[in-house]
Amino acid sequence: MAASLLIEDVDAAYGAVRALDGVSLRVDSGETVALLGTNGNGKTTLMRCILGLLKPTRGRISVTIDGVTTDLVGRSPEDIVNLGIAIVPEGRRLFPRLSVEENLLLGAYRRAARPSIPRHLEFCYEAFPRLKERRSQAVGSMSGGEQQMVALGRAVMCAPKILLVDEPSVGLAPILVARTIEKIAELKEKLGLTVLMAEQNFHQAIRIADRGYVLVHGHVEFQGDSPAALGDSELVRKFYLGL
Ligand SMILES: Nc1ncnc2c1ncn2[C@@H]1O[C@H](COP(=O)(O)OP(=O)(O)O)[C@@H](O)[C@H]1O
Ligand SMILES: [Mg+2]
């Protein structure tokens, strides 16, 4: 199973506000790519463009899954999810009054994912034993770290090939950030996923990323072909590491 994502020269705007400016990047099959950038630089906007929630004003977004290339621009979010693309959204967007299991099951609405519901639920509970213990608990009464696990589990319930993760570290204590990042790497390995992860937390992101891009004002300002190359970049040192 091979799945890759290609973004070519994408512009996007909210009315008169230009949010993406000629963004090009790729995520090859089986890679974990970090999309780095501080607040307001366009990370979420790019995720929204990939998922069909915002239409780029220019450029091309395509995925190649098992040798078949599909253009995403102009397709509905439902079609895009059905191709095998899932997101763990910024702020998690869970249903606080519903139980853990109900939230997980809501991730399996993708048609192709329905037959595998029991298998994926089992897999989720194996990856997150704590969620199994808490399967009947209302999500709103759980800790931030546990809620992030529910959000990750929900994304996996739709049996994706490409996983988008938007700022998993937001709102979590440092120890939970580290655990969440490790879980993403574990899920990726077990499920053979291709991952694009937006993060502001440079140190945590490069623990699991193969490569990365730095977005500044909606533009890719730097591309690092390894975590070391990212750490050596002047831009990263200045903006993220305070050096
Ligand atoms: N719904 C919106 N309406 C208008 N401007 C928006 C909207 N969402 C984001 N923006 C603007 O687009 C830019 C990029 O935002 P965003 O993609 O959310 O950045 P990030 O995810 O990197 O924090 C920012 O200048 C932000 O203010
Ligand atoms: Mg964002």
Side-chain angles (χ1 to χ4, degrees), residues 44 90 166-167:
T44 297
E90 188 174 16
D166 195 357
E167 293 214 44

Side-chain angles (χ1 to χ4, degrees), residues 14 17 19 38-45 90 167:
Y14 299 99
V17 180
T38 51
N39 250 338
N41 280 298
K43 302 180 300 298
T44 297
T45 302
E90 188 174 16
E167 293 214 44

Side-chain angles (χ1 to χ4, degrees), residues 45-107:
T45 302
L46 185 63
M47 298 283 185
R48 300 186 71 217
C49 287
I50 297 168
L51 274 174
L53 295 166
L54 178 69
K55 193 173 176 190
T57 49
R58 188 172 70 104
R60 184 171 178 230
I61 302 176
S62 59
V63 290
T64 302
I65 295 173
D66 294 333
V68 179
T69 299
T70 310
D71 280 317
L72 301 188
V73 175
R75 281 178 196 272
S76 67
E78 191 190 355
D79 278 355
I80 292 170
V81 169
N82 273 325
L83 285 168
I85 303 171
I87 189 164
V88 182
E90 188 174 16
R92 306 184 266 276
R93 307 282 174 105
L94 297 165
F95 294 91
R97 289 170 186 233
L98 299 185
S99 70
V100 168
E101 189 151 306
E102 285 164 337
N103 271 277
L104 291 175
L105 290 172
L106 282 169

Side-chain angles (χ1 to χ4, degrees), residues 100-101 104-105 108 113-133 135 153-154 156-159 183 186-187 190-191:
V100 168
E101 189 151 306
L104 291 175
L105 290 172
R114 283 181 207 148
S116 35
I117 286 176
R119 188 161 57 84
H120 286 281
L121 197 57
E122 197 48 47
F123 172 81
C124 270
Y125 286 148
E126 206 184 292
F128 307 105
R130 192 157 184 107
L131 297 187
K132 188 168 189 176
E133 286 165 28
R135 68 208 292 170
R154 180 182 59 183
V156 167
M157 287 299 292
C158 78
K183 274 292 174 192
E186 182 188 320
L187 288 175
K190 284 192 177 155
L191 296 177

